[in-house]
Amino acid sequence: MRFAKKIIVFLFAVLSLTIILGILMYFIEGETGNFASISLSLYWAITTLLSAGYGDTVLQTDLGRLVALFIRVLGSSIIIVPLIVVIAEICKLLYKTLFGKKMAVLMKALFL
């Protein structure tokens, strides 16, 4: 269950970054980009993180588009990073089962 801690920490970091970027987007775009409040910008950031966006807000500034790109890449990592963590843990268990303690020590050194 060590990998569960890693995934929880990762998801907490992603959620924190999403909140920070949503608030940042409010100050970057403001009223011109249809970000009337911080809650609307947080809604936009979460929607952009979890999908391609809702489509109700069009970004007006280049800096805003750059932040949106970063949020979209962050959204892809929500699937990729936990998958890699789980696969690494499965590999460690498999090698430990098949090759004993010597290989488990080697795998632990490689994956840490």
Side-chain angles (χ1 to χ4, degrees):
M1 281 308 217
R2 235 178 38 203
F3 67 93
K5 279 185 178 179
K6 292 177 185 177
I7 293 173
I8 289 171
V9 167
F10 171 73
L11 290 177
F12 179 75
V14 167
L15 181 63
S16 299
L17 273 173
T18 304
I19 291 171
I20 291 168
L21 291 171
I23 293 170
L24 180 68
M25 192 60 99
Y26 171 75
F27 291 112
I28 292 171
E29 290 288 324
E31 292 291 328
T32 60
N34 201 15
F35 290 92
S37 66
I38 291 180
S39 62
L40 283 175
S41 64
L42 289 175
Y43 164 76
W44 174 86
I46 291 171
T47 305
T48 304
L49 178 77
L50 298 177
S51 65
Y54 188 66
D56 59 343
T57 304
V58 178
L59 303 174
Q60 303 297 321
T61 64
D62 290 334
L63 185 58
R65 291 183 187 116
L66 184 67
V67 171
L69 178 67
F70 181 72
I71 291 174
R72 288 186 187 115
V73 170
L74 193 63
S76 299
S77 70
I78 287 178
I79 295 171
I80 295 168
V81 171
L83 187 64
I84 290 172
V85 169
V86 169
I87 289 172
E89 291 296 324
I90 290 171
C91 285
K92 280 196 251 181
L93 289 174
L94 182 65
Y95 277 109
K96 185 177 179 182
T97 303
L98 293 176
F99 300 112
K101 289 193 175 233
K102 288 182 183 178
M103 187 58 89
V105 170
L106 176 64
M107 292 303 292
K108 185 175 181 181
L110 290 175
F111 284 113
L112 288 179

